Amino acid sequence: MDLALLRTFVTVHRAGSFTRAAALLGLSQPAVTGQIRTLERQLGRPLFLRQARGVTPTTIGDELAHRAAPHLDALVEIAGAGLDEEAGTRTLHLAGPPEFTALRALPALSPLISQGLALRVSFGTAEEILDGLAAGHHDLAITTAQPRGGLLTSAPLCDEEHVLVAAPRWAARLGPDVLRGGDVLLEQLPVVDVHESLPLISRYWATVFESRPAAAGAVIAPDLRAVLETAASGAGLAVLPRYLCAEALERGRLIALLDPPMPPLRTYFLVVRTGTLTLPPIARAHEWLMRAAVDW
């Protein structure tokens, strides 16, 4: 049986779509369709049921994928190991949000470097990261969006608590007004966030005040570390992950304006292409991150 046909079949099975599989393989959709039809003729059985949105594997298709995919993944691992051995390392391509990856993931993975692992790191939005993972540009991804479908497999990594903060001079100026609600805060303080839509402020207001913030950003900076430094310098209030601003809070550079009983939380997911956790470098990094996240 032609290994190229099996590779195309497994990709379609995981992607759930001829179109998606074609993009991942770098082939045209007619080429993918033709290869699947050739394989079906060789086996004498249909492997997929065509539907309005994508395809669904038949029982025979599921059985073939279950038997073939691990062996194909092992061949990919052998080929990849051979390339890496020339440089004396095995390379893992990791993608995630810049702040969390820099402050959480990379320190957690650093012990693996001495064990022969090389890291190549990419940053991006959740959508960019998942698209890149599906296309094979990354091996392992950290994202705040949980993927759907069978192409990608995710596991909850950790939750981050969001904190409403401002510089000490603003906190002293507000006094008891802090407890009077979101509208009062926004009337008196400028806002710092990562986007014009105020995603962090909006999520906090919806959870804590059950309202929408009626404000425009005074400072918009697409990096949480920039938001932290801008807020600490006295530019206005901001909402930040506690892990990111914990040191600034301890040193008094920032003050937590509220301590709500139900603070907003955001979940991070660790995501791989389905089936690739059989590959040792990916499995090892996945295990180390999951273990480290217990203390995050």
Side-chain angles (χ1 to χ4, degrees):
M1 188 177 293
D2 190 337
L3 287 178
L5 297 182
L6 280 177
R7 177 170 176 261
T8 298
F9 161 73
V10 169
T11 304
V12 173
H13 187 274
R14 288 172 171 170
S17 162
F18 285 175
T19 302
R20 185 72 164 173
L24 295 174
L25 293 166
L27 301 173
S28 66
Q29 183 175 337
V32 170
T33 302
Q35 289 187 21
I36 296 300
R37 286 176 177 169
T38 298
L39 187 57
E40 289 176 330
R41 284 196 300 270
Q42 291 180 1
L43 296 174
R45 302 283 187 86
L47 297 172
F48 296 103
L49 300 176
R50 280 67 170 176
Q51 297 182 334
R53 294 185 177 180
V55 293
T56 300
T58 62
T59 302
I60 297 298
D62 272 333
E63 181 180 348
L64 178 60
H66 179 74
R67 295 173 60 185
H71 299 290
L72 287 171
D73 290 336
L75 289 173
V76 172
E77 166 64 10
I78 291 170
L83 291 172
D84 289 336
E85 283 170 4
E86 296 179 4
T89 60
R90 294 189 176 188
T91 302
L92 177 80
H93 294 266
L94 173 70
E99 306 86 0
F100 186 89
T101 304
L103 298 178
R104 290 297 202 196
L106 291 178
L109 292 174
S110 61
L112 296 181
I113 306 304
S114 62
Q115 300 177 22
L117 181 71
L119 278 172
R120 299 294 180 267
V121 182
S122 300
F123 301 136
T125 65
E127 183 178 1
E128 292 168 345
I129 290 167
L130 292 178
D131 286 346
L133 180 64
H137 301 312
H138 319 307
D139 300 313
L140 185 63
I142 300 169
T143 176
T144 54
Q146 186 173 20
R148 297 182 179 180
L151 179 61
L152 303 176
T153 299
S154 66
L157 182 62
C158 65
D159 291 330
E160 67 174 17
E161 177 190 347
H162 284 184
V163 187
L164 181 66
V165 298
R169 70 180 183 89
W170 283 116
R173 173 176 167 177
L174 285 168
D177 285 343
V178 172
L179 301 177
R180 291 172 53 195
D183 291 341
V184 173
L185 290 173
L186 293 177
E187 287 173 3
Q188 299 190 49
L189 275 76
V191 171
V192 186
D193 210 319
V194 295
H195 189 270
E196 295 288 355
S197 63
L198 306 182
L200 297 172
I201 295 288
S202 296
R203 185 182 299 114
Y204 192 96
W205 253 242
T207 302
V208 175
F209 300 119
E210 297 183 348
S211 65
R212 295 172 59 88
V219 179
I220 301 297
D223 187 297
L224 287 174
R225 290 163 294 193
V227 171
L228 185 153
E229 293 301 327
T230 304
S233 70
L237 66 80
V239 172
L240 290 167
R242 184 172 289 278
Y243 81 85
L244 185 67
C245 64
E247 182 179 353
L249 291 171
E250 290 176 4
R251 295 173 59 185
R253 296 181 63 218
L254 287 172
I255 302 295
L257 299 180
L258 288 175
D259 184 20
M262 293 289 291
L265 299 176
R266 182 166 63 172
T267 302
Y268 284 95
F269 297 92
L270 200 52
V271 191
V272 298
R273 289 187 301 282
T274 300
T276 58
L277 278 179
T278 58
L279 305 180
I282 299 176
R284 187 80 168 141
H286 190 282
E287 176 188 353
W288 275 67
L289 287 173
M290 294 297 290
R291 192 187 310 167
V294 173
D295 297 323
W296 290 347

